[in-house]
Amino acid sequence: MTKKTALHIISSARGSESFSKGLSSAIVDKLIGNQEIDVVVERDLTKETPPFLHSNLVGAFYKDPRFVEEEERQLLKYADSVVSDVSKADILILGTPMYNLGMSALLKAWIDQLVRYGITYSYNEKGAREGHLNGKKVYLAIASGGRLQDWSGNYEFIASHVKAVFDAYIGLTDVEIFRVEGTAMPGFQPDYQKILENL
Ligand SMILES: Cc1cc2nc3c(=O)[nH]c(=O)nc-3n(C[C@H](O)[C@H](O)[C@H](O)COP(=O)(O)O)c2cc1C
């Protein structure tokens, strides 16, 4: 079987206590055990914090690469490294806590560094948007203190947001979601093997 490279993104502020990191690491271990990946590149966004967008950076994002100046090249370094990481990977494994019903701000900032007009997507001659980094499998591991089923309305935003952005602006359509839920409930113990039994 052809071996593959995985990019593992960690975005919880809780280090070794993190359940999203626990679940995403269990996905990594299982894929290694299944002999689906043999190289893992790990990026802990709490240690390599993505910059927030600001006007000079946005300006550099949209500039014709031939005219990018040295100062802008420096600003683009993090974004370029994210594009490089994702381009080299066959499989993405993203972990995120649920914070206020959304993904970690670190993961959102990382996605804002990744999505680039002309690099991860563009428009064809018919005006249709096309993503360019196609064909990679994405696993998204979400940890939440509560459980989605306990909300009366549809309060699912993280998976739908990530799926939509990856589809529209990157070209990645195969996003599989795993959840470790109820982490704030008394006596909670994660069972990652059970959550990943079909992986
Ligand atoms: C600032 C903050 C906001 C949170 N918001 C929610 C929330 O909206 N819904 C929920 O179910 N849990 C929420 N939680 C609980 C976390 O999702 C839970 O602790 C989860 O395990 C965090 O992921 P981690 O273990 O990977 O750090 C929140 C926790 C914090 C610290």
Side-chain angles (χ1 to χ4, degrees), residues 120-132:
T120 64
Y121 76 101
S122 59
Y123 295 91
N124 65 21
E125 62 282 355
K126 289 182 183 148
R129 194 177 43 243
E130 286 178 340
H132 296 316

Side-chain angles (χ1 to χ4, degrees), residues 4-149:
K4 294 181 177 170
T5 297
L7 176 63
H8 180 197
I9 300 294
I10 295 158
S11 71
S12 163
R14 297 190 327 116
S16 58
E17 303 284 294
S18 160
F19 294 111
S20 59
K21 181 179 175 184
L23 181 56
S24 60
S25 300
I27 294 172
V28 169
D29 291 345
K30 190 133 190 201
L31 294 177
I32 291 172
N34 292 349
Q35 300 193 321
E36 288 183 48
I37 55 174
D38 63 349
V39 177
V40 181
V41 175
E42 183 179 293
R43 301 284 182 226
D44 183 337
L45 303 185
T46 66
K47 297 184 179 141
E48 303 169 89
T49 311
F52 286 158
L53 299 179
H54 55 83
S55 82
N56 290 348
L57 181 54
V58 171
F61 274 2
Y62 287 95
K63 206 162 178 180
D64 184 325
R66 289 172 300 169
F67 304 118
V68 166
E69 290 164 20
E70 184 50 33
E71 199 179 316
E72 292 167 319
R73 216 177 295 286
Q74 294 303 320
L75 288 178
L76 289 170
K77 262 192 170 169
Y78 191 102
D80 288 344
S81 75
V82 172
V83 170
S84 168
D85 279 348
V86 172
S87 300
K88 286 181 196 154
D90 302 291
I91 294 178
L92 309 185
I93 301 156
L94 314 176
T96 185
M98 179 185 287
Y99 291 148
N100 304 316
L101 301 175
M103 74 182 85
S104 154
L106 288 170
L107 183 60
K108 176 60 168 56
W110 182 84
I111 291 172
D112 289 342
Q113 295 291 315
L114 168 62
V115 171
R116 298 262 291 277
Y117 176 70
I119 296 179
T120 64
Y121 76 101
S122 59
Y123 295 91
N124 65 21
E125 62 282 355
K126 289 182 183 148
R129 194 177 43 243
E130 286 178 340
H132 296 316
L133 304 185
N134 318 96
K136 302 170 195 299
K137 172 91 187 187
V138 182
Y139 295 97
L140 178 63
I142 304 170
S144 56
R147 300 179 304 182
L148 277 181
Q149 69 201 65

